[in-house]
Structure formats: structure tokens, C-alpha cells
Amino acid sequence: LLQGPMTISSVEEGTAGKIRLPREIFQSLSSQAARVVVTVLDIQQLGMFKEDNQVGQVLDDTVVGIVVEDMDISGLQDPVRLTFAHRQLLRNVTPLCVFWDPNQGQAGGWNTTGCVTVPGDKQTDCSCNHLTFFTLLLNPALNRFTAQTVVAVASTSCGVAVAFSIFTIAFYIFLRCNYQQFRSEESLRTNLGLHMNLVSSLLLLNLAFLLNSGVSSRAMPGLCSALGGLTHYCLLCCFTWTALEGCHLYLLFVKVLGTYIHHYLAKLCLVGWGFPALVVAVAGAIGSYGAYNIWTMDHQTVVHLCWINSKHVLVHYITICGYFGLVFLFNTVIFGVVAWKNCHLWSTGMVQGHCKAWRVALAVVGLFCLLGVTWALTFLSYGSSSVLMLYLSAILNSLQGLFIFIWLVVLYYPKMEETTSSLSHITKNDRTMAVSQG
């Protein structure tokens, strides 16, 4: 084990990088002694290893070159292992083990072929199958252009979503005022009331995001904390109402068709609006909200929001990532069970009626939106390699209200009496009230 240069990480005194050369390199040498040269270069002073349009930053501006007996060594079965020591990296930084490839681009560039990166809290291990000049490239998960573009796209989509959320609520009021069916049938009132609560939570979330992105950069600490808590509350309400949509499907299809619960919608509202308020109250009591910044590699602010501050990142992982993960898992299982039961009913002829394929497809897409499946794209947008998923996540999540509006309009208007058979059997047995729960 050869000790690397002590200055690989200038941010922490006393830490050392490590280099391990495999036995395979020396077995091919005829002499018992081999000359190993480890060169440490400060590329900032030397002006070397400059890549055109480079996004990431070289750790401590340090490049390590390894040469054994002036031999060109590549294709190693047992790789060379380098350990780069560093302090804990920012959340929006992704380490990447690279080597200098003179054939990359016009004047050379960084390449990852043959290298594997294993990141850690205070060090990153690199395993490469050849010898050359190596470094650890710190890539921003979001560069300035991408971050600003995503915020602009999300803001535009949120504006559209606000308009269509209002249209959806107006459409609901129109149905209640003009059609006796939507006032007399409890099943329809319950279903639409549940959907309207979800749409209302989406409306509040989009308004909170627009307000947040507009005033967060100049908000006072107290106002920023309140705005962060409001945004967190609205997001948790969306997740909770999507979970309640899944619970509603469970009661209709899985447990007992025609289940009746006294003051059912009121109890759903108590959970849908009350549980997030309790979570936000606890998070606010420990000072979780404040300014949240996304930085570039040169420590300039790309995005400034009022959100859960960096000191309480655990609150973010538990109440956002963990909570939605459970909601998504539950709704996915419920959707699968409901789909299986419907296929079984159709195959046995227990459900009659002629339903066009496009209306069935629309019903499925609508259920996906109601169950919050579009939010799952956020988990696929981690890292700089998922920019496309980042854009899709921003657009689809912002336009969820638009999708629900189209879904409800097509299903319930203009032919109210011909509500799709794919959904009619969801509600037709609700009036039987087979089970009563207080």
C-alpha cells in the first residue's frame, strides 16, 4: 500500500489519499525492483488539464499521475485503487472518478471508461483498470442553466395548473347546481367531493410554489420560515389526499362493495388537512424551515427557496421521501388489486356494458393521476444524468390538476347518464350501505 500525497485534500489537515497497485502489474517485470512514480499536479497553477465546456470541478485542483517503469499499462483484471479524501460534499454534488484522455475532444478531456466510483462521506474510492493521470471530478447535480430552466418550466406549468384547478372546481359547482343526480346520489357526492379536495390541495400547492419562487429571494427570515412551512404543508396535503384516494378505492373494491361510513367525507377531510398540519407544527417547533439554496460549484446561488433548511435534512427525507414512498407503495398495490378484480369481473361476465377502449384508457390514466404516480418520477431524477426525468417530473407534477380536469369533464359531461361503465360499477353499489361504521 503506497501512501499518496498528503495534500490531496487541503481542506482537512492530516488526511491522506491512498493508492493501491495490484500485484498483476509487477508480475510481468523481469527485475525484482520496480520504479514507481506518483506525480501530484496543481492544475490551477500549471494551467493544464483544462477541458472545453467543463461543468464539474476537480477536487482541490489536484491531478494524480501514476507511472510504473514507463510502461503503458491497461486492461488490468485487478484494478488500481485510489482513495481521494475530502470533507462531506454538498447534497447537489456528485463525485466521479475520471482520467485524462488526450483523444477526448479536440484538446483532450476527462473520461470515465474503465473506472468505477464508490462515493463515501469523507472519501471516494476509485477503481480503474489502467494507469494514467487521475482525479475526482465534482459534478453539480444541477448546473445553473438546468436549474433555472427547470424552475421557469415548473413556474409556467404551475400557472397553467392553477387555472385548470379553478376550472375543475367551477365544473364541480356547475354539476351540483344544474344536475339533480349530483345532489341526490350520495355516492357521486362522495366521489366528487374526494376529488375536489385533492384538486384543492394541488391548487394550494401550485399557489404556494409560485409565491415561494417569487418572494423567497427577498423575504425576511420569519416570512421565509412561514412560507417554507406553508409549502411543506401543501405538499404533504397532496400526498395525503392521494393516499386517501387509494383508501377509497380499497373500500369500494377490496374490502366491501357498498361500505358506508358515517360522515365519511368529513372524516377524510380531518385526516387530509389535519395530519399534514400536525407534521408541519412539529417540524416548525424544531426550527426546520428557512432559506434553502442550491449552489453551483463556484459557490454561487442558483435557486433560492423557502423550504426545509439544510440543518434539518432528516425532516425532508422522513416527511417527503419516506412518506411519499409509503403512499406510492400502498397506492401501487391498491391499483394492482383493483385492476385484477376488474379484469376478473369482466372475464366472468359479472360486469356488463359496452365501453370504448379510449374511455377505459382514460379511466386508467385518471386513476394514475389521482393516485399520485407522476410524483414517482422525482425519484428517477437524482443526479446530473437524469435531466430529462427532471424536466418530466417538473412538468407532469405541475400539470396534474390539468389531467384531472380533463378526466372529470370527459367522464361526467355532457352525457351524465352515460358515465363510463369502467367507473359506474364503482359507485352503483354505494347506495346499498351494506356495512355501517360510526
Side-chain angles (χ1 to χ4, degrees):
L1 185 66
L2 301 179
Q3 285 293 331
M6 298 294 291
T7 57
I8 279 187
S9 178
S10 60
V11 296
E12 293 186 10
E13 295 183 1
T15 59
K18 297 179 181 179
I19 301 174
R20 175 190 176 277
L21 300 180
R23 186 184 303 273
E24 178 183 352
I25 293 178
F26 304 99
Q27 288 177 341
S28 60
L29 300 178
S30 57
S31 59
Q32 294 183 350
R35 182 171 60 92
V36 178
V37 178
V38 177
T39 307
V40 182
L41 302 175
D42 187 336
I43 63 174
Q44 185 67 27
Q45 296 180 358
L46 298 176
M48 301 172 60
F49 301 102
K50 298 295 184 181
E51 184 180 34
D52 295 337
N53 301 321
Q54 180 173 313
V55 177
Q57 180 182 2
V58 173
L59 176 66
D60 292 335
D61 296 318
T62 300
V63 172
V64 179
I66 307 173
V67 178
V68 176
E69 291 290 340
D70 296 327
M71 296 173 56
D72 183 12
I73 298 176
S74 60
L76 296 172
Q77 297 297 320
D78 184 12
V80 178
R81 292 182 172 85
L82 300 92
T83 299
F84 291 92
H86 52 71
R87 61 183 175 185
Q88 190 166 3
L89 301 175
L90 297 174
R91 282 197 299 165
N92 62 319
V93 170
T94 303
L96 188 65
C97 298
V98 295
F99 68 94
W100 185 256
D101 184 358
N103 299 320
Q104 186 92 353
Q106 296 181 349
W110 298 113
N111 197 340
T112 61
T113 304
C115 291
V116 177
T117 305
V118 182
D121 292 336
K122 295 298 182 69
Q123 66 181 35
T124 298
D125 296 325
C126 301
S127 298
C128 299
N129 63 0
H130 56 281
L131 295 183
T132 182
F133 289 93
F134 302 97
T135 193
L136 188 66
L137 198 63
L138 304 179
N139 287 321
L142 285 178
N143 57 47
R144 179 181 297 276
F145 174 78
T146 301
Q148 293 177 344
T149 303
V150 168
V151 171
V153 169
S155 298
T156 303
S157 301
C158 283
V160 176
V162 167
F164 278 95
S165 296
I166 295 175
F167 294 160
T168 304
I169 297 174
F171 175 68
Y172 169 72
I173 297 174
F174 168 78
L175 294 179
R176 290 293 302 272
C177 294
N178 292 276
Y179 294 90
Q180 179 65 27
Q181 179 183 8
F182 292 93
R183 295 194 300 270
S184 59
E185 294 192 15
E186 184 177 357
S187 59
L188 286 176
R189 293 204 313 270
T190 300
N191 287 335
L192 284 175
L194 180 61
H195 302 336
M196 287 308 103
N197 277 281
L198 175 60
V199 171
S200 299
S201 67
L202 290 171
L203 173 62
L204 293 177
L205 176 61
N206 289 317
L207 289 174
F209 177 79
L210 292 174
L211 180 63
N212 198 326
S213 60
V215 305
S216 59
S217 60
R218 54 183 181 276
M220 299 295 291
L223 177 60
C224 191
S225 178
L227 193 55
L230 175 63
T231 307
H232 189 204
Y233 171 75
C234 294
L235 184 59
L236 290 178
C237 286
C238 287
F239 292 164
T240 304
W241 279 108
T242 57
L244 293 177
E245 290 278 2
C247 291
H248 187 62
L249 285 178
Y250 171 80
L251 292 177
L252 292 178
F253 279 95
V254 181
K255 188 178 181 183
V256 177
L257 283 173
T259 297
Y260 176 77
I261 300 176
H262 190 57
H263 297 306
Y264 177 57
L265 191 58
K267 292 178 179 179
L268 291 183
C269 289
L270 182 62
V271 176
W273 301 108
F275 174 71
L278 179 62
V279 174
V280 171
V282 174
I286 61 177
S288 301
Y289 304 115
Y292 178 81
N293 299 319
I294 298 178
W295 306 87
T296 60
M297 296 305 300
D298 54 357
H299 300 287
Q300 295 183 0
T301 303
V302 178
V303 178
H304 184 98
L305 293 172
C306 294
W307 183 240
I308 302 171
N309 56 46
S310 301
K311 295 180 180 179
H312 295 85
V313 64
L314 188 61
V315 174
H316 170 83
Y317 285 121
I318 294 176
T319 64
I320 302 298
C321 300
Y323 182 46
F324 175 74
L326 293 176
V327 171
F328 178 71
L329 179 62
F330 172 74
N331 282 352
T332 301
V333 173
I334 293 299
F335 183 83
V337 173
V338 169
W340 177 82
K341 288 181 69 70
N342 275 276
C343 291
H344 177 71
L345 293 175
W346 280 97
S347 63
T348 57
M350 297 180 64
V351 176
Q352 302 294 334
H354 300 283
C355 185
K356 295 181 179 180
W358 70 269
R359 296 178 77 88
V360 175
L362 178 66
V364 173
V365 172
L367 287 177
F368 268 108
C369 292
L370 292 178
L371 298 179
V373 175
T374 56
W375 290 100
L377 291 175
T378 306
F379 288 91
L380 302 178
S381 60
Y382 176 79
S384 57
S385 61
S386 304
V387 175
L388 177 60
M389 286 296 176
L390 198 62
Y391 282 112
L392 288 176
S393 174
I395 294 173
L396 294 180
N397 289 336
S398 302
L399 296 181
Q400 189 178 6
L402 170 61
F403 301 148
I404 295 176
F405 170 76
I406 297 174
W407 184 67
L408 290 175
V409 169
V410 173
L411 287 181
Y412 292 102
Y413 186 85
K415 298 180 180 180
M416 303 302 172
E417 71 279 3
E418 296 181 3
T419 300
T420 59
S421 60
S422 61
L423 291 178
S424 61
H425 62 280
I426 294 179
T427 62
K428 68 178 182 179
N429 292 319
D430 285 358
R431 295 187 298 273
T432 61
M433 300 182 184
V435 178
S436 176
Q437 298 178 359

